[in-house]
């Protein structure tokens, strides 16, 4: 997850809840799916963001902004995974040696 201020995080989480309610009321609401993707993306939740953008594209296949957002999210996800691997490199790679009796 990105390092961000508490108010921004609360705002994004609140938006996510609002968009979820909108989607429950109108499952084909392209705008709600797209904005749900934006909220997930802002929180660094790239897999969920991609799913929301793909859902928006399901109902409006020509939505260029969703296609671009998916590309950005995939790129950010790869970058995040690389950073995570570098951060934890060697942490689990070595195994404790066994005591010889």
């Amino acid at each position: 997850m990105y390092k961000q201020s508490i108010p921004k995080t609360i705002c994004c989480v609140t938006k996510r809840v609002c968009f979820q309610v909108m989607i429950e009321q109108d499952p084909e609401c392209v705008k709600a799916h797209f904005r749900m993707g934006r909220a997930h993306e802002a929180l660094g939740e790239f897999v969920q963001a991609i799913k929301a953008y793909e859902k928006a594209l399901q109902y409006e296949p020509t939505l260029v902004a969703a296609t671009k957002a998916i590309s950005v999210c995939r790129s950010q996800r790869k970058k995040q995974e690389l950073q995570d691997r570098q951060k934890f490199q060697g942490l689990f790679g070595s195994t404790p040696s066994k005591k010889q009796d």
Side-chain angles (χ1 to χ4, degrees), residues 9-22:
T9 302
I10 291 171
C11 181
C12 291
V13 170
T14 303
K15 286 180 182 179
R16 242 183 10 197
V17 171
C18 291
F19 298 137
Q20 186 60 45
V21 170
M22 289 174 66

Side-chain angles (χ1 to χ4, degrees), residues 29-38 41 46 48-74:
C29 182
V30 174
K31 193 177 281 191
H33 287 290
F34 182 80
R35 290 187 177 162
M36 175 73 87
R38 286 285 190 230
E41 185 178 350
F46 301 115
Q48 295 94 326
I50 291 168
K51 288 179 184 178
Y53 291 135
E54 287 173 343
K55 197 71 169 176
L57 283 172
Q58 178 182 338
Y59 297 114
E60 192 173 324
T62 60
L63 188 60
V64 176
T67 304
K68 289 180 180 179
I70 288 171
S71 178
V72 168
C73 284
R74 285 182 177 150

Side-chain angles (χ1 to χ4, degrees), residues 70-86:
I70 288 171
S71 178
V72 168
C73 284
R74 285 182 177 150
S75 173
Q76 289 295 329
R77 191 175 112 220
K78 286 180 184 178
K79 184 177 177 181
Q80 186 180 51
E81 288 172 353
L82 179 63
Q83 288 173 344
D84 289 346
R85 274 196 299 269
Q86 289 173 345

